[in-house]
Amino acid sequence: MHKELITERVGNYIVTALTNITHSGKVAAAVSIRRGEYDRIFSFIRQFDTPDMASKYALAEGRCMVLENQLN
């Protein structure tokens, strides 16, 4: 995983972007959505050229999941 974690508070949730360099050299994105002591991690199929692009995508998707109440 990419060492610089980007975190954002959305309501009662903590949304953290996670990135990983794949074998092909692309960057995979995932997002951790935490409330209390439990978190859910969602991985995305889309891959990116840079960790920054992957982090921005993961944060945006995580924010949408929380705001649109898609975690139930």
Side-chain angles (χ1 to χ4, degrees), residues 6 17 19 29 48 50-63:
I6 300 173
T19 61
F48 301 87
T50 67
D52 186 52
M53 291 171 58
S55 292
K56 287 179 181 179
Y57 179 83
L59 275 180
E61 290 296 312
R63 189 180 312 115

Side-chain angles (χ1 to χ4, degrees), residues 6-11 13-17 32 59-60 62-63 67:
I6 300 173
T7 301
E8 179 179 303
R9 179 176 287 279
V10 181
Y13 294 89
I14 302 295
V15 179
T16 304
S32 166
L59 275 180
R63 189 180 312 115
L67 294 175

